[in-house]
Amino acid sequence: MKVFNYIKENKWFLLVMLIGTAIFTVQTALVVLYADDLSLGIISKGDGFLGAFSHMKYNYMEWGGGPTPMFAIMFLCANNIVWKIFSIVILTISVYCITDMITFKNKKNRWWVAIIVWACIFILDIAVSRETLYWLDGHLAYVFTTFNLLIYFYYLFKKLVEKSKLKKYDYVLLPIFAFFAGWSGPQSGSIILLMNILLFIYVRIIKKEKIKAIYYISLVVATIGFLVYYLAPGNNARFEVGFPEIAKLNMFELIEYRLDSVFSLLFNYPLNFAGLSFYINIVFGALALVTISILKEDNNIKKYLKNILYLFSFAILGYLVLSIIYKFNLIGSNYIAKILFGYKNIYNEIIAGTFKITM
């Protein structure tokens, strides 16, 4: 009866999920192996599953710290169809988790949120989707790593925000998910640590609720996983081969370089429809709107904290407006560009030693 009642109450949501999964299944069925899949396929045919572990050792020492090439070889040892089924399953779970978190206070209307999430996947620019959704090695490097991030954060969200009861098996599963979320990749690993800390701040400082030791332990485990990736000798080796000039920079210069890269991604990157920059704007906007929605409904948050979070959220929305004006070259673009990029002139003068403050 519980299953019947759940289907009855969520029939439109389940229908949307079924249609979305079916469409993605048809698209995935047409995918063929290419690029790195072929070289990894040679290893799988020659050395089998043992080749996956030996390649993992080589990759960790010589080329990168992530486990994705090992998983790719394992899938190629089994069958390409196995990976396709795996891809469909984790994407469907990802859509479910995202939708469930966004609508955690209003489950009745989550079917239309699911439509939006599936639509964002299906309109993804082909240049991006072919290197993520429909490329075995790329899928594991981007989609699977994002899934690791998402499933761990969803786990925390259910326990800390929705107050799901902590079970005995959670003490084992939570650290495992935490480790693979941290070890998943440089972007996803660093993002999950930030999201984890922000969630703790929300629960402990804003909501003033206690956090059990297992969650702090999981954060430590996630950090260890991230360090396993970050400190891999292969990262430096690959960096020195592919980016010799950047490899010579010291820590502070690397931070400046990365900040400049992030700024360029946000403002200099062309706003192609459903391209990378397009989705960055969607994520920022969604975070701001969800924050505003939570602040409106939560009366336990202190007024000064609410005002700070409101200010921050509306600042993000203001940034999006400026970003759209600038990227679409609308009226006022030149003036906005002077404000947004004015720091670069000062930065360049400081580096060159020609910067002077005049009174």
Side-chain angles (χ1 to χ4, degrees), residues 62-64 233-248 257:
E62 302 292 339
W63 196 245
N235 290 328
N236 288 333
R238 183 175 183 178
F239 210 49
E240 290 174 359
V241 172
F243 309 93
E245 295 301 320
I246 301 175
K248 296 177 183 177
Y257 173 80

Side-chain angles (χ1 to χ4, degrees), residues 107-143:
K107 302 293 186 185
K108 292 182 179 179
N109 296 321
R110 61 178 175 169
W111 63 272
W112 64 264
V113 177
I115 290 176
I116 294 173
V117 176
W118 279 114
C120 287
I121 293 171
F122 292 133
I123 66 171
L124 185 65
D125 185 84
I126 189 62
V128 178
S129 61
R130 72 184 179 191
E131 295 186 7
T132 54
L133 296 173
Y134 308 117
W135 170 29
L136 190 155
D137 192 37
H139 170 274
L140 294 172
Y142 299 107
V143 180

Side-chain angles (χ1 to χ4, degrees), residues 44-341:
S44 70
K45 296 304 178 185
D47 301 322
F49 281 98
L50 291 177
F53 294 104
S54 60
H55 183 76
M56 174 65 207
K57 180 181 177 181
Y58 162 79
N59 186 72
Y60 193 80
M61 299 302 296
E62 302 292 339
W63 196 245
T68 51
M70 178 184 70
F71 290 132
I73 294 171
M74 287 181 172
F75 277 117
L76 291 167
C77 285
N79 194 295
N80 193 27
I81 296 176
V82 176
W83 165 71
K84 290 183 178 182
I85 295 172
F86 176 78
S87 171
I88 295 164
V89 169
I90 68 169
L91 190 76
T92 301
I93 292 174
S94 298
V95 174
Y96 175 86
C97 292
I98 293 169
T99 304
D100 195 49
M101 285 190 289
I102 291 174
T103 61
F104 78 100
K105 288 195 174 183
N106 187 3
K107 302 293 186 185
K108 292 182 179 179
N109 296 321
R110 61 178 175 169
W111 63 272
W112 64 264
V113 177
I115 290 176
I116 294 173
V117 176
W118 279 114
C120 287
I121 293 171
F122 292 133
I123 66 171
L124 185 65
D125 185 84
I126 189 62
V128 178
S129 61
R130 72 184 179 191
E131 295 186 7
T132 54
L133 296 173
Y134 308 117
W135 170 29
L136 190 155
D137 192 37
H139 170 274
L140 294 172
Y142 299 107
V143 180
F144 183 46
T145 54
T146 303
F147 173 76
N148 287 332
L149 175 160
L150 181 62
I151 202 69
Y152 171 58
F153 186 78
Y154 180 71
Y155 209 145
L156 290 175
F157 189 89
K158 297 295 285 187
K159 300 297 180 182
L160 294 175
V161 178
E162 294 193 18
K163 308 301 181 186
S164 176
K165 188 176 180 181
L166 198 64
K167 304 292 180 63
K168 289 183 179 179
Y169 57 78
D170 292 328
Y171 289 88
V172 176
L173 290 180
L174 199 56
I176 292 174
F177 285 145
F179 178 79
F180 281 101
W183 190 35
S184 57
Q187 293 89 359
S188 55
S190 55
I191 289 171
I192 193 57
L193 293 181
L194 177 61
M195 291 172 66
N196 203 153
I197 292 169
L198 290 175
L199 183 60
F200 281 6
I201 291 173
Y202 172 73
V203 174
R204 189 70 188 91
I205 298 177
I206 297 178
K207 299 283 289 183
K208 295 189 179 301
E209 296 173 354
K210 291 184 178 180
I211 298 176
K212 292 185 177 181
I214 182 60
Y215 300 115
Y216 290 113
I217 292 171
S218 297
L219 175 58
V220 172
V221 173
T223 304
I224 292 171
F226 176 73
L227 292 175
V228 168
Y229 190 108
Y230 182 76
L231 298 176
N235 290 328
N236 288 333
R238 183 175 183 178
F239 210 49
E240 290 174 359
V241 172
F243 309 93
E245 295 301 320
I246 301 175
K248 296 177 183 177
L249 301 177
N250 60 41
M251 183 180 70
F252 296 104
E253 289 172 332
L254 283 172
I255 292 173
E256 290 172 355
Y257 173 80
R258 180 52 59 194
L259 288 174
D260 188 66
S261 299
V262 171
F263 193 88
S264 296
L265 179 63
L266 294 176
F267 291 103
N268 287 349
Y269 201 94
L271 188 62
N272 296 328
F273 179 69
L276 185 58
S277 174
F278 175 85
Y279 281 93
I280 289 174
N281 287 351
I282 286 180
V283 170
F284 278 158
L287 286 173
L289 291 174
V290 168
T291 301
I292 292 170
S293 175
I294 292 173
L295 292 173
K296 283 183 177 180
E297 296 184 18
D298 198 328
N299 296 320
N300 297 321
I301 303 175
K302 289 186 177 181
K303 188 174 181 180
Y304 78 93
L305 282 175
K306 266 194 173 185
N307 291 335
I308 291 173
L309 292 172
Y310 268 128
L311 182 63
F312 184 69
S313 299
F314 282 112
I316 290 176
L317 295 176
Y319 147 75
L320 293 179
V321 173
L322 293 177
S323 179
I324 291 171
I325 293 172
Y326 174 72
K327 287 173 180 175
F328 280 106
N329 198 29
L330 300 177
I331 297 174
S333 294
N334 292 333
Y335 178 72
I336 291 172
K338 287 180 181 179
I339 297 174
L340 295 178
F341 297 105

